[in-house]
Amino acid sequence: MAIRVNPKIIDDLAVYGAEDVQLCYHCGNCSAVCPHADEFNVFPRKPMRNLQMGLEKKLERSLEPWLCYYCGQCSEQCPRGAEPGETMMSLRRWLTSRYDVTGLSRLFYRSWKAEMIAILVLALLTGVAFFLFGMLRGDIHVYSGPGAFLPSSAVHLFDWSMAGVLAALLFVNSLHMWRLVFGSKDGPKPNLFMYLKHLPQLPWHFLTQNRFRTCQERNGLWLIHLLLVASYLTMLVLIMFFLPTMQSGPEIRWTVHTFGYAASIGLIGATIFMLHGRLKKTRTQFQHSHKSDWLFLIMLVYVALTGVLQHIAHRAGFPVAANLVYIMHMMGVVPMLVLEVPFSKWSHLAYRPLAMYLAAVQRDALLGRSSQGGEILAPRRIA
Amino acid sequence: MKAKIGVYICHCGSNIAKIVDCEAVREYISTLPEVAIARTYKYMCSNPGQDLIVQDIKEHGLQRVVVAACSPRMHERTFRAALQAAGLNPYMFEMANIREQCSWVHDDPQAATEKAKALAQAAVRRVVHHEALEQMTVDMCPNTLVIGAGIAGLTATLELAEAGQKVFLLEKQDHLGGNLARVDLTAPYLDSARDLLIERITRVRSSGNIELLLNSRLQQLQGYVGNFTATLSRTGHDGPGTGKIREIQVGNVIVCTGYREFAAERVTHFGYGKLPDVITSFDFEKMLQAGRIECCDGTIPKYAAIIHCVGSRSAEFHGYCSRVCCMTALKYVHEIKSAVPSCYVSDLYIDMHAFGKGHEDFYRRTSEVKTMFLMFGKGDHPIIRSAGPKDDCKMLIEVNEQLSGELIEIPADLVILMVGMEAQEDAMETARLVNISQDKEGWFIESHPKLDPVATTTDGIFIAGTCVAPKDIPDTVAQARAAAARILARIAKGKIAVDAVYAEISDDACSGCRICNELCPYSAIEYDDKKKRSHVISAMCKACGACVAACPSGAIKGRHFTDQQILAQIEGVLR
Amino acid sequence: MSFEPRILGILCNWCSYAGADLAGTSRIHYPPNVRIIRVMCSARVDPTFVVKALVSGADGVLICGCHPGDCHYSEGNYKTMRRIPLLKKVLKDFGIEDERVRLEWISASEGQRFADIVKDMTERIRVLGPSHVACELHADPRER
């Protein structure tokens, strides 16, 4: 049965950043230089072809964009300037919006104005809510301890609730991703054993981004990325489990705060490195920046800086300033997490390891099918 | 007297030497009594190779020369010139073809070497009987007949006329411009075809040296190089002068009869003629010239599809590539995108042939305007069918896409079939009239495909443009100018040497039976009533030898192809 | 050792010789049994040439000209078309098998066809065996 093409999809993807994909004439150099492409996952060439031809369904169920860490070699080798690396990046954005069941992701990716409005509205709401809460329940002159303007117990509760909602959204979207990948009738059907066998890959890739390492013998971007992730996770653990200690003071609790300092330096350092890179276009990966990339980095650096500022103000004995900066900090944290984690760039923290896990399962399922004498559904080697 | 013969065996690099043991051939040939010198050399046709012959002739007083090398069609002339340079009559030469007809077609070195020995020996046996022949020169009539007034004919005509020579420009249609007049823009620079033509046509019409003969055809061409008599007739629709016959004198003829488009009806799976929105490239040119791209119902197409290689590069129709369709297809993409920017264009090709100057850039620019390029296999073809009521398009094209390996279906409102080029339907008639050959596809054959691309095997008849093979405008114009330049060079000389090879009748032996008179296709044999003998008008004889073989009294001698020479050669080759 | 036929090819300059050259430039292989001489037109082929060839030890003679209607000399090959069958009739009376003399039309673009014909003719004559003409005239013509 012939697959109907959708010629409009290419225009759609251009909004997500894939502006040059039509220049590709399929020499296959990109897939040849890619350290991650293999006979099961021929990329960037195959997804690029599916995109050129508007094979929407094929794109939707493809895991390949997530297997790419955008080292940029493919774009450098491309004789036509078709930007395969950026195309893969754009496909990740597009897939994120496809996985998202709410449709918000699509809205934000396609319109940075909508995203800005959402950020501002959320920030304003957060600011007003926290301010009113503080004014009603606490004293603006107290930062921590009894009578605090924003008591850590309350913030802690808020954090956990928000984490719960975001995790649930991310989980639903991830489930949708799984359904797209394995949901089709003629696709491979893995058994439970295959799912279990590869399960350790999930935390392994999540924590190490080990595949990124293999494509980074040239520029060490993996280390910076790892630093960012580690800092972020450290901060997450500190906030979710040690918020009362973090917010205590004014004396410094070295056992906890050491980690906080390290994480802050890591976050700010890595973010500034990336901002600088994107501004100066220092690397292949930084040649093209979607609006969503800028927003993400700016918010991250804003959140990190307000967090540090709040800490300094408190330790320096300015509780009012510390409380106000705290509100400003939350005005950044809430929109950033709410928008980025389930709907935008940050969702890749879940999709990427999940995709690698699913790709391993898929490969087993395909091999299993062929070993049973059935039709080999592995993509033909056409690179 | 024993003839002194020099024999030269060419290695042709390794072309001959890798199969034929040239040294063994040399040794064998040296044993023949008439052979004074036998040598082998890497490249006999090179300057040092020719010098070798010249030197040997001078030093050793060679009287005859045999070169065993490539085909005489390739280098006979080269070596004859070498003989002449050394002061020997050029006809004291014979070639043995041990490359095209030996080393290139055999793989057994021993058998090939034996055959090469035989061929060389045959040449030696033949050359013994060669006679010194004197070349004749004839006056060159400076007028030229150009057949066909497309871009090739117009260009050649202008080139000749502006050099001050008289040109008769013959066109069977009632207007100038040929197929190019049916085209809107040209690839890859998107110049208007009209502009290209108008400039030429204006110059042609205003030139005093050009006699324009519209609605006219060639009826007959008689004579030989430098002295042709062309009989022309007016065709057309009962206009004044229809059927009028006219004779003109010309020295040379350039055939620029062009091509016709492949008839798309012959391909059934595209539904041309049944699906109203499946049109050919020439239908589309008409649409472009009219200035509106639309479907048959007057709507603007949302999806357009272009299918390449219709009638070309297929086992069923023509095996060759028509060369211009790929770039024309890309041109259509640009024209559609500029007229209807919202239209999605898909381009279905087998291979994208972007060989010419500026073509690769043009291909790239076409990619930039988001063309959906789809590759189908040679031997496979897309299938077009009408869409259903639910679809937002008129037709659906099913194609086995090669770059993805997927069977896909693409929407289309307008389908353009890139029809290829075909030899004109009257190409065979033209070929016979001017006595040139056609290849299996009907294209006219060049004297040499690489080294002599505008001349033909008939001296004085030149070919240019798409009557030779499919080609684009620059190549066509280059050929037209090349043909004109060849003719101008001959006109400048004023005289032309004709081959010294013709038939002679011995008065003593001729019985006056007159069998030969009727046999000659050129009426070159006259009967002298007084002498009761026939004789050959040598300038009109083309040396076919039909009369020689037919003469019952053996009175006719075919110079350079005498019975003696051929029989000796037969004996030699069957050693 | 198996019998290797010796075939004389007489080819017209414009079509068939060019066709044989094309087989060469296209590297289309055929048996080395055929040895070619060139005439301007197949109409130049005097019956004595064929007889001479058979007498000189040829096991077969292949005459090639342009396709009818495509003769460089307009109608030379029509003469050949009449002459050769007549000759074959005479040869038959001398006990020379029909297949030993063959007339074929080869155009300048038919390199493959030329090679195919040579292959076919070589095989047929190989089956037929050596020509008795030469054998009877000379005790062993190949030692001559």
Short mmCIF file of all heavy atoms in Angstrom, two decimals, chain C residues 1-2 5 11 19 24 27 29 38 47-48 55 57 78 83 85 98 108 114 124 127-128 131 140:
data_model
loop_
_atom_site.label_atom_id
_atom_site.label_comp_id
_atom_site.label_asym_id
_atom_site.label_seq_id
_atom_site.Cartn_x
_atom_site.Cartn_y
_atom_site.Cartn_z
N MET C 1 43.50 -31.51 -32.27
CA MET C 1 43.05 -30.12 -32.20
C MET C 1 41.77 -29.94 -33.00
O MET C 1 41.62 -30.54 -34.06
CB MET C 1 44.15 -29.22 -32.77
CG MET C 1 44.19 -27.87 -32.09
SD MET C 1 45.49 -26.84 -32.80
CE MET C 1 44.61 -26.01 -34.10
N SER C 2 40.87 -29.16 -32.46
CA SER C 2 39.59 -28.98 -33.15
C SER C 2 39.78 -28.12 -34.40
O SER C 2 40.74 -27.38 -34.52
CB SER C 2 38.59 -28.33 -32.22
OG SER C 2 38.95 -26.99 -32.02
N PRO C 5 37.70 -22.85 -38.36
CA PRO C 5 37.39 -22.38 -39.71
C PRO C 5 38.12 -21.08 -40.03
O PRO C 5 38.46 -20.30 -39.12
CB PRO C 5 35.88 -22.12 -39.66
CG PRO C 5 35.40 -22.56 -38.35
CD PRO C 5 36.55 -22.81 -37.45
N LEU C 11 33.95 -6.43 -46.46
CA LEU C 11 33.01 -5.46 -45.88
C LEU C 11 33.05 -4.14 -46.64
O LEU C 11 34.12 -3.68 -47.03
CB LEU C 11 33.38 -5.20 -44.41
CG LEU C 11 32.83 -6.15 -43.35
CD1 LEU C 11 33.19 -7.59 -43.66
CD2 LEU C 11 33.34 -5.77 -41.98
N GLY C 19 30.83 -0.67 -38.91
CA GLY C 19 30.15 -1.47 -37.89
C GLY C 19 31.13 -2.40 -37.19
O GLY C 19 31.10 -2.55 -35.96
N GLY C 24 34.76 -3.19 -32.32
CA GLY C 24 36.08 -3.05 -31.69
C GLY C 24 36.09 -1.98 -30.62
O GLY C 24 36.47 -2.24 -29.48
N ARG C 27 34.45 -3.01 -27.69
CA ARG C 27 35.07 -4.22 -27.11
C ARG C 27 34.10 -5.40 -27.07
O ARG C 27 34.00 -6.12 -26.09
CB ARG C 27 35.59 -3.96 -25.68
CG ARG C 27 36.42 -2.69 -25.49
CD ARG C 27 37.68 -2.72 -26.33
NE ARG C 27 38.69 -1.78 -25.85
CZ ARG C 27 38.76 -0.50 -26.23
NH1 ARG C 27 37.90 -0.01 -27.10
NH2 ARG C 27 39.72 0.28 -25.76
N HIS C 29 33.46 -8.88 -28.12
CA HIS C 29 34.35 -9.94 -28.59
C HIS C 29 33.65 -10.90 -29.56
O HIS C 29 32.46 -11.14 -29.45
CB HIS C 29 34.92 -10.72 -27.40
CG HIS C 29 36.00 -9.96 -26.71
ND1 HIS C 29 37.08 -10.56 -26.13
CD2 HIS C 29 36.18 -8.64 -26.55
CE1 HIS C 29 37.88 -9.64 -25.61
NE2 HIS C 29 37.33 -8.46 -25.84
N ARG C 38 38.56 -4.77 -47.01
CA ARG C 38 37.63 -3.66 -47.18
C ARG C 38 37.45 -3.33 -48.66
O ARG C 38 38.43 -3.28 -49.40
CB ARG C 38 38.21 -2.44 -46.45
CG ARG C 38 37.41 -1.18 -46.52
CD ARG C 38 38.01 -0.14 -45.58
NE ARG C 38 39.33 0.27 -46.03
CZ ARG C 38 39.69 1.56 -46.16
NH1 ARG C 38 38.86 2.52 -45.85
NH2 ARG C 38 40.90 1.87 -46.57
N PRO C 47 32.35 -11.83 -58.21
CA PRO C 47 32.26 -13.25 -57.86
C PRO C 47 33.61 -13.94 -57.81
O PRO C 47 33.80 -14.87 -57.02
CB PRO C 47 31.39 -13.81 -58.98
CG PRO C 47 30.54 -12.67 -59.41
CD PRO C 47 31.39 -11.45 -59.24
N THR C 48 34.54 -13.44 -58.58
CA THR C 48 35.86 -14.09 -58.57
C THR C 48 36.53 -13.96 -57.21
O THR C 48 37.35 -14.79 -56.83
CB THR C 48 36.78 -13.49 -59.64
OG1 THR C 48 36.82 -12.09 -59.48
CG2 THR C 48 36.34 -13.85 -61.04
N VAL C 55 39.28 -20.95 -53.06
CA VAL C 55 40.44 -21.66 -53.62
C VAL C 55 41.67 -21.45 -52.74
O VAL C 55 42.50 -22.34 -52.58
CB VAL C 55 40.70 -21.16 -55.06
CG1 VAL C 55 42.04 -21.64 -55.56
CG2 VAL C 55 39.59 -21.64 -55.98
N GLY C 57 41.80 -21.26 -49.64
CA GLY C 57 41.75 -21.94 -48.34
C GLY C 57 40.71 -21.43 -47.38
O GLY C 57 40.68 -21.82 -46.21
N TYR C 78 21.87 -3.22 -53.81
CA TYR C 78 20.83 -3.96 -54.54
C TYR C 78 21.46 -4.87 -55.59
O TYR C 78 20.96 -5.95 -55.88
CB TYR C 78 19.85 -3.00 -55.21
CG TYR C 78 18.95 -2.28 -54.22
CD1 TYR C 78 18.89 -0.90 -54.18
CD2 TYR C 78 18.17 -3.01 -53.33
CE1 TYR C 78 18.07 -0.24 -53.27
CE2 TYR C 78 17.35 -2.37 -52.42
CZ TYR C 78 17.31 -0.98 -52.39
OH TYR C 78 16.51 -0.35 -51.48
N ARG C 83 23.51 -10.37 -57.12
CA ARG C 83 24.71 -11.05 -57.59
C ARG C 83 25.06 -12.27 -56.73
O ARG C 83 25.36 -13.35 -57.24
CB ARG C 83 25.85 -10.05 -57.54
CG ARG C 83 26.82 -10.14 -58.67
CD ARG C 83 27.80 -9.00 -58.57
NE ARG C 83 27.52 -7.92 -59.50
CZ ARG C 83 27.97 -6.68 -59.36
NH1 ARG C 83 28.66 -6.34 -58.29
NH2 ARG C 83 27.70 -5.78 -60.27
N PRO C 85 23.31 -14.26 -54.52
CA PRO C 85 22.49 -15.48 -54.63
C PRO C 85 22.75 -16.25 -55.94
O PRO C 85 22.75 -17.48 -55.94
CB PRO C 85 21.06 -14.95 -54.59
CG PRO C 85 21.15 -13.67 -53.86
CD PRO C 85 22.47 -13.09 -54.24
N ASP C 98 25.73 -24.20 -49.07
CA ASP C 98 25.09 -22.88 -49.08
C ASP C 98 25.62 -21.98 -47.97
O ASP C 98 25.82 -20.78 -48.16
CB ASP C 98 23.58 -23.10 -48.91
CG ASP C 98 22.81 -21.83 -49.18
OD1 ASP C 98 22.90 -21.34 -50.32
OD2 ASP C 98 22.17 -21.31 -48.24
N ALA C 108 26.55 1.00 -39.77
CA ALA C 108 27.70 1.51 -39.00
C ALA C 108 27.45 1.48 -37.50
O ALA C 108 28.38 1.55 -36.71
CB ALA C 108 28.00 2.94 -39.45
N PHE C 114 27.25 -7.35 -35.91
CA PHE C 114 28.37 -7.92 -36.65
C PHE C 114 29.01 -9.05 -35.84
O PHE C 114 29.24 -10.15 -36.36
CB PHE C 114 29.42 -6.84 -36.95
CG PHE C 114 30.64 -7.37 -37.63
CD1 PHE C 114 30.59 -7.76 -38.96
CD2 PHE C 114 31.82 -7.56 -36.93
CE1 PHE C 114 31.70 -8.29 -39.59
CE2 PHE C 114 32.94 -8.10 -37.55
CZ PHE C 114 32.88 -8.47 -38.88
N ARG C 124 28.56 -22.37 -37.33
CA ARG C 124 27.95 -23.18 -38.39
C ARG C 124 29.02 -23.86 -39.24
O ARG C 124 28.89 -25.03 -39.60
CB ARG C 124 27.08 -22.30 -39.29
CG ARG C 124 25.73 -22.01 -38.67
CD ARG C 124 25.06 -20.88 -39.42
NE ARG C 124 23.87 -20.44 -38.72
CZ ARG C 124 22.66 -20.94 -38.95
NH1 ARG C 124 22.48 -21.88 -39.84
NH2 ARG C 124 21.62 -20.50 -38.27
N VAL C 127 30.73 -26.72 -37.64
CA VAL C 127 29.93 -27.95 -37.74
C VAL C 127 30.08 -28.57 -39.13
O VAL C 127 30.20 -29.79 -39.28
CB VAL C 127 28.43 -27.63 -37.45
CG1 VAL C 127 27.56 -28.84 -37.73
CG2 VAL C 127 28.27 -27.16 -36.00
N LEU C 128 30.09 -27.69 -40.13
CA LEU C 128 30.19 -28.13 -41.52
C LEU C 128 31.53 -28.81 -41.82
O LEU C 128 31.64 -29.72 -42.64
CB LEU C 128 30.05 -26.89 -42.42
CG LEU C 128 29.11 -26.95 -43.60
CD1 LEU C 128 27.72 -27.38 -43.17
CD2 LEU C 128 29.04 -25.57 -44.25
N SER C 131 36.34 -26.79 -45.84
CA SER C 131 35.84 -26.73 -47.21
C SER C 131 36.61 -27.72 -48.08
O SER C 131 37.83 -27.82 -47.99
CB SER C 131 36.02 -25.31 -47.75
OG SER C 131 36.01 -25.34 -49.15
N ASP C 140 47.45 -30.11 -48.78
CA ASP C 140 47.19 -29.50 -47.47
C ASP C 140 47.40 -28.00 -47.61
O ASP C 140 48.53 -27.52 -47.55
CB ASP C 140 48.11 -30.09 -46.41
CG ASP C 140 47.71 -29.59 -45.03
OD1 ASP C 140 46.79 -28.73 -44.95
OD2 ASP C 140 48.31 -30.04 -44.05
#
